[in-house]
Amino acid sequence: MKKSVLYIGFKRQRHSILIGGGLANLRNLRMLEDFFGPENVSQTYILDESKKRSLWSYALAVCLFPFNYHNGLTPRKVKAIISEAQQHDCVFLTTSVLGLVAKKLKQSGYQGRIITHYHNVESIYYDAQMPRWLPGRQVVVKCAARNDEYGCRYSDRVITLSQRDSDYLAKHYGRKADAVVGVSLVDKFQPVDTEVLTGRRPRCLFLGAYSIPNNEGVLFFVKQVLPHVDVDFMVVGRGMDKLQRENECMNEVKTIGDVPDVRPYIEEADFMILPVFSGSGMKIKTCESLMYGKNILGTDESFEGYDLDADKVGGRCNTAEEYIAQLKHYSLHPVKRFNQYARDVFLKNHTEESTRKVFHSIFTS
């Protein structure tokens, strides 16, 4: 008899434009359907993005954080998951903020296999994402950390995106990942003129949604780099028009919020600018840039988890001075807008086909 799996997501995303974690979740779901068959994959979610949350649900979430129920998870929902899980051979937790579910499943006597996927080490992620001034911030971060721990302790298999995250889990919770499955995407590349050179006034693009790490990176570039280089700089990402309204220094920067397709913007860019300095896991925007064969000027954090030569991709820049030097160099010495090396890295390591075997090994070992 064909085995079945219960996929448990944190948020059912109804938005037509998937970014970051949404793309990674979609990859996981497709991998499960490929292995088990679509008819043998059931889905359940803690939150539904299409439904407006009540004030009561927010108040309840605040009260439950100290008991390690992450935002939206409740004892009632956990009980329902345990009941539904009995009908399946495997439970797949798509984020470690649901580590408490793994604990409750084990304590209930669930006999199936529990697999937890770490998009990030969530305690690190929430520490970077939440404003320092926010009341109760540490309660939320500690809740995420406890769920990270539960994911390690009570899961039969653990998956991380990067070796760095696996090493962190081993150091802090005594459990390394059973498999490291890097970011991968459906290949959406379309043929382009590979001989076009970057301009004397390079077109530079930042791709990413409104969030503290992305906001800090964009403002760093606008304040410390942009005044010293002659480039066209554009920001594209969900909610980034808000960042422009909040910061006077962004007034002259072309900024676009939601777009139906980021491909035209990426294809027209000479350089992807990825000044991201904090976080965990891997950066999806880096993978998208590689997919389209783009030149990338990024920080150590933006390249984390990627096996590549940053100099061949474009350049590794961790300071304003390094960004300025690289951009001035490329203004004087144009290169091909299409970077074949970047494209080859994507094809070798970051297509869904290239990661399928490692992902599926979790269910056969």
Side-chain angles (χ1 to χ4, degrees):
M1 183 178 176
K2 187 74 172 181
K3 291 187 175 181
S4 64
V5 61
L6 176 61
Y7 170 96
I8 304 176
F10 182 66
K11 181 183 292 186
R12 185 190 297 274
Q13 294 181 300
R14 299 296 190 182
H15 202 286
S16 60
I17 306 168
L18 291 179
I19 58 175
L23 289 170
N25 289 337
L26 187 60
R27 186 281 300 271
N28 290 344
L29 189 55
R30 276 198 294 259
M31 291 284 188
L32 293 174
E33 290 178 340
D34 180 67
F35 185 83
F36 290 93
E39 71 280 4
N40 295 306
V41 178
S42 297
Q43 302 176 48
T44 188
Y45 294 86
I46 307 305
L47 296 175
D48 191 332
E49 195 177 66
S50 67
K51 297 179 180 178
K52 187 176 181 180
R53 295 181 67 184
S54 66
L55 290 177
W56 162 248
S57 70
Y58 282 108
L60 181 61
V62 171
C63 295
L64 289 174
F65 269 122
F67 301 97
N68 304 314
Y69 290 83
H70 199 270
N71 186 17
L73 189 64
T74 65
R76 178 179 295 181
K77 290 178 182 178
V78 171
K79 185 176 180 180
I81 288 170
I82 292 173
S83 177
E84 187 174 0
Q86 306 309 316
Q87 305 169 42
H88 300 280
D89 305 285
C90 177
V91 169
F92 187 92
L93 301 172
T94 196
T95 168
S96 61
V97 293
L98 299 175
L100 182 65
V101 175
K103 177 182 178 181
K104 296 294 186 181
L105 280 167
K106 283 294 187 185
Q107 290 178 339
S108 74
Y110 176 67
Q111 296 300 304
R113 177 175 287 187
I114 302 171
I115 297 167
T116 298
H117 181 270
Y118 284 72
H119 283 303
N120 312 279
V121 176
E122 296 295 348
S123 53
I124 297 176
Y125 174 80
Y126 279 94
D127 187 54
Q129 288 282 351
M130 298 186 70
R132 298 289 167 178
W133 52 262
L134 192 67
R137 177 181 180 279
Q138 282 304 313
V139 176
V140 177
V141 173
K142 287 180 179 179
C143 175
R146 188 57 60 86
N147 277 279
D148 283 335
E149 178 187 354
Y150 289 157
C152 285
R153 185 185 302 180
Y154 296 102
S155 299
D156 297 292
R157 296 289 186 273
V158 164
I159 305 172
T160 60
L161 287 177
S162 69
Q163 188 60 47
R164 176 182 67 174
D165 287 356
S166 178
D167 293 342
Y168 184 95
L169 297 182
K171 179 179 179 180
H172 292 272
Y173 307 123
R175 170 76 179 273
K176 67 178 183 179
D178 297 282
V180 176
V181 186
V183 166
S184 60
L185 298 171
V186 172
D187 191 0
K188 296 182 178 179
F189 175 77
Q190 296 180 6
V192 296
D193 186 343
T194 59
E195 298 303 313
V196 175
L197 297 179
T198 58
R200 293 276 181 184
R201 192 168 194 264
R203 297 178 180 179
C204 299
L205 173 66
F206 178 90
L207 181 67
Y210 185 96
S211 69
I212 288 180
N214 285 344
N215 297 352
E216 289 177 344
V218 169
L219 294 176
F220 155 82
F221 188 83
V222 170
K223 292 178 180 179
Q224 300 187 41
V225 179
L226 201 53
H228 306 286
V229 293
D230 185 21
V231 302
D232 286 321
F233 182 53
M234 178 186 293
V235 176
V236 175
R238 188 187 303 171
M240 281 307 209
D241 46 341
K242 178 182 178 183
L243 181 68
Q244 186 177 49
R245 293 193 301 270
E246 292 174 342
N247 295 273
E248 188 175 344
C249 66
M250 294 279 294
N251 286 349
E252 303 303 317
V253 177
K254 187 174 182 180
T255 305
I256 303 175
D258 288 357
V259 294
D261 184 6
V262 298
R263 180 176 59 83
Y265 299 95
I266 297 177
E267 287 181 346
E268 288 300 311
D270 291 320
F271 293 92
M272 300 298 292
I273 304 296
L274 307 182
V276 182
F277 297 97
S278 62
S280 183
M282 294 174 68
K283 304 301 175 281
I284 297 288
K285 58 176 67 68
T286 306
C287 192
E288 290 180 292
S289 302
L290 294 171
M291 176 171 66
Y292 289 104
K294 303 310 297 183
N295 299 298
I296 305 170
L297 298 180
T299 57
D300 289 342
E301 183 61 38
S302 69
F303 290 126
E304 180 62 41
Y306 291 92
D307 183 14
L308 52 74
D309 184 334
D311 290 335
K312 292 182 179 180
V313 168
R316 192 181 298 271
C317 304
N318 290 303
T319 66
E321 290 74 20
E322 289 171 337
Y323 268 108
I324 292 167
Q326 289 279 13
L327 288 168
K328 285 185 174 180
H329 170 79
Y330 285 120
S331 292
L332 295 173
H333 306 283
V335 294
K336 290 182 180 179
R337 178 184 289 176
F338 177 75
N339 187 314
Q340 185 64 57
Y341 174 77
R343 174 69 181 161
D344 289 343
V345 169
F346 173 79
L347 290 174
K348 180 180 178 181
N349 298 321
H350 300 289
T351 64
E352 289 197 354
E353 291 75 16
S354 69
T355 57
R356 180 178 287 111
K357 184 176 180 180
V358 179
F359 190 96
H360 284 178
S361 70
I362 284 290
F363 303 95
T364 56
S365 60

